Amino acid sequence: MNWIEIHRYISWTLVIASIVLISTGYAVSRGLSPSYYYQLALFHRIFEMFFIPLLILHMSITIRYYRINWRKTISLLRQNRGSSIHSMRLLQRLSSWLIVFFAVLVIIPGLNGYDIFAEATGEAIPFSLHRFFDVFLVSLIIIHSIIGVRFVMMRKRIRWRFTNHLLSFLTIGLVLAVVLVNVPQASVKETEYSGTVIIGSEEFSFQASDIDSLRPDIFTEGHFSMFDILVHISNHEGIELEYHFNETMNTFVVESINGEPHWWYRVIYSGGWPENNVFRMDHYPWKPETEITFYKVSKERLDETYAIFREEIERKLVNDGELIIPEVTIRGKSFYYRAENVSVTAHNLRNDTFQTGVITAIDVIMSLGDKGDIFYDIAWFESIGDADVVQNYYIVQINSDRQAGTCGFVYESGDLENQGLLNHIHLPSDSRVLNAPEYVTWYWICL
């Protein structure tokens, strides 16, 4: 096997690696597979390790064995004496160097996914540049690869009448798709926001200022839950909604919508993606740029969810109304913490949204801090990445482990049966009202 054949194998291996790298990257950033979010993020990092050396090897062989006479090629083209092969060779070589240039611009900010790099640079190179330059890199890879496909067809003597036209349209279509996927969505000011909700197959709109909460024991005036939106729509849009409050679960239960039983809901906050959950819909706070969908589920699914809610209230009653969590764990980068029967008290961090005395998940960390078990730090975020509306406090440090780049602490809470699954939703910890979960865990991740 000579170097030319080796180069071809490396080239197409690089194309495959690029496709996997791009696919996993977009799957993570767009939340295309929430159930495998962290696995895809890890897979993306692994393929980065293949992509970089393959790109270097590919360029080294290209420079060594595929030299191009730039002056002669450009001169022939300017004199209209060059062939289409000259044009494609020139474009292929130009795109290859631009790929290297933009690959560097994408890779360097992408290193924020490694806490060592993020801490060393102090996040001076923001991760947002990784996504910005990615548009150019992916577009160039598409152009470069399709030119390669054309050369393969020429070598194999594959002749289709409209080959050049088809490949041109394919190139333009793919590049446009990449650009459109990355066009940022226009954010809407809260004062101008009119929300929408999907119930079954119908979409309804509402004005946030018109909604009152049926849980004044949880929400302060002007704030409300996803359930409150459903009730508002039923009162103003002719939807037939049957519901009641169940004290044994501490939640409103939807009996039927338009005569049909077994409904649940799904929420997408700004910059997020659809997530299934086992969280009370009259506890889930609404905020601008939220998408809500109410959809049919099986009776078994609802029975399992309601059983979890009942167990929580029973646990709370056993503890005379005090919130005592059976197990709290923190898996940090440099430490592991575990405690049983942790007593949690309200710190009223979000008394702008919740009534005094309402306990949220962030109170777990703050209560451990009160006891002196851990040191922690919190910070307010108006927005994060593609999420234009965040407006939440986040835990940015526990003990010596401090958030850096795309590395930091995430959490989940609920019953052990749904650990790592339905319990892990992108509801910030200062907005997750707790009843009496079976566990709460925080853990360090790098995306």
Side-chain angles (χ1 to χ4, degrees), residues 53-299:
L54 275 173
L55 180 62
I56 294 172
L57 183 59
H58 175 73
M59 289 304 300
S60 300
I61 297 174
T62 299
I63 294 169
R64 177 68 177 84
Y65 294 99
Y66 287 84
R67 294 179 180 176
I68 182 173
N69 190 322
W70 292 88
R71 184 176 297 177
K72 181 180 178 181
T73 302
I74 294 172
S75 176
L76 287 171
L77 291 172
R78 291 178 66 179
Q79 297 173 26
N80 294 321
R81 293 166 54 199
S83 65
S84 60
I85 294 178
H86 288 100
S87 299
M88 287 193 295
R89 282 291 181 206
L90 183 63
L91 184 58
Q92 189 179 45
R93 185 57 59 88
L94 285 172
S95 63
S96 66
W97 283 112
L98 287 171
I99 285 171
V100 172
F101 175 72
F102 281 103
V104 172
L105 294 180
V106 168
I107 290 168
I108 291 176
L111 293 175
N112 278 295
Y114 302 94
D115 46 10
I116 295 175
F117 177 85
E119 290 170 358
T121 61
E123 299 184 60
I125 306 171
F127 183 77
S128 57
L129 293 176
H130 178 79
R131 292 185 175 182
F132 176 76
F133 289 119
D134 174 75
V135 179
F136 300 96
L137 177 60
V138 175
S139 299
L140 287 164
I141 289 174
I142 290 170
I143 294 169
H144 190 78
S145 299
I146 289 182
I147 293 173
V149 170
R150 185 67 183 98
F151 278 124
V152 169
M153 295 177 71
M154 292 170 68
R155 285 198 304 271
K156 300 292 184 181
R157 300 185 184 279
I158 300 173
R159 296 176 180 175
W160 295 341
R161 186 177 179 183
F162 300 107
T163 298
N164 290 337
H165 292 88
L166 287 172
L167 291 178
S168 296
F169 283 126
L170 179 61
T171 304
I172 294 169
L174 289 174
V175 170
L176 279 175
V178 170
V179 173
L180 291 173
V181 165
N182 286 279
V183 171
Q185 297 181 352
S187 59
V188 184
K189 293 182 180 179
E190 184 174 354
T191 54
E192 302 171 351
Y193 195 87
S194 295
T196 58
V197 55
I198 296 174
I199 303 174
S201 59
E202 296 184 76
E203 183 174 306
F204 303 90
S205 61
F206 63 89
Q207 190 68 36
S209 58
D210 294 338
I211 299 179
D212 296 318
S213 179
L214 274 71
R215 295 303 303 264
D217 57 319
I218 296 177
F219 293 97
T220 57
E221 186 176 352
H223 295 272
F224 51 89
S225 71
M226 307 305 165
F227 176 75
D228 295 318
I229 296 171
L230 179 62
V231 173
H232 174 81
I233 296 299
S234 73
N235 291 336
H236 294 82
E237 299 291 344
I239 295 294
E240 296 180 11
L241 174 66
E242 297 292 333
Y243 64 92
H244 69 276
F245 184 78
N246 189 308
E247 291 186 2
T248 66
M249 297 190 291
N250 186 29
T251 189
F252 280 97
V253 175
V254 175
E255 298 172 11
S256 66
I257 298 177
N258 290 334
E260 296 186 20
H262 312 139
W263 292 83
W264 199 238
Y265 75 110
R266 185 181 294 119
V267 176
I268 308 176
Y269 274 159
S270 174
W273 47 80
E275 295 176 317
N276 293 321
N277 67 80
V278 285
F279 190 71
R280 293 166 175 81
M281 67 174 70
D282 61 353
H283 286 38
Y284 210 126
W286 177 90
K287 58 184 175 182
E289 297 194 17
T290 298
E291 299 176 37
I292 318 129
T293 301
F294 291 90
Y295 63 100
K296 296 267 295 177
V297 295
S298 67
K299 181 179 183 299

Side-chain angles (χ1 to χ4, degrees), residues 229-379:
I229 296 171
L230 179 62
V231 173
H232 174 81
I233 296 299
S234 73
N235 291 336
H236 294 82
E237 299 291 344
I239 295 294
E240 296 180 11
L241 174 66
E242 297 292 333
Y243 64 92
H244 69 276
F245 184 78
N246 189 308
E247 291 186 2
T248 66
M249 297 190 291
N250 186 29
T251 189
F252 280 97
V253 175
V254 175
E255 298 172 11
S256 66
I257 298 177
N258 290 334
E260 296 186 20
H262 312 139
W263 292 83
W264 199 238
Y265 75 110
R266 185 181 294 119
V267 176
I268 308 176
Y269 274 159
S270 174
W273 47 80
E275 295 176 317
N276 293 321
N277 67 80
V278 285
F279 190 71
R280 293 166 175 81
M281 67 174 70
D282 61 353
H283 286 38
Y284 210 126
W286 177 90
K287 58 184 175 182
E289 297 194 17
T290 298
E291 299 176 37
I292 318 129
T293 301
F294 291 90
Y295 63 100
K296 296 267 295 177
V297 295
S298 67
K299 181 179 183 299
E300 291 73 22
R301 162 77 189 282
L302 278 183
D303 288 344
E304 290 172 1
T305 300
Y306 293 157
I308 292 168
F309 293 168
R310 290 190 184 93
E311 289 173 6
E312 287 190 344
I313 302 308
E314 290 170 4
R315 190 178 298 117
K316 196 168 186 178
L317 290 173
V318 168
N319 293 314
D320 297 323
E322 184 181 354
L323 176 51
I324 297 178
I325 301 176
E327 181 184 68
V328 174
T329 58
I330 305 173
R331 300 195 300 273
K333 180 181 65 171
S334 63
F335 71 95
Y336 177 79
Y337 173 90
R338 182 179 182 277
E340 295 181 355
N341 299 320
V342 176
S343 177
V344 182
T345 57
H347 293 74
N348 303 312
L349 183 66
R350 295 305 306 273
N351 55 11
D352 59 322
T353 302
F354 301 116
Q355 296 287 358
T356 299
V358 171
I359 297 176
T360 64
I362 204 168
D363 286 312
V364 177
I365 294 296
M366 299 178 80
S367 295
L368 292 176
D370 293 343
K371 293 169 57 181
D373 285 7
I374 62 169
F375 167 81
Y376 70 90
D377 190 17
I378 62 176

Side-chain angles (χ1 to χ4, degrees), residues 42-62:
L42 176 61
F43 207 50
H44 183 71
R45 290 294 176 194
I46 291 172
F47 264 85
E48 278 182 340
M49 302 302 176
F50 285 98
F51 178 82
I52 295 171
L54 275 173
L55 180 62
I56 294 172
L57 183 59
H58 175 73
M59 289 304 300
S60 300
I61 297 174
T62 299

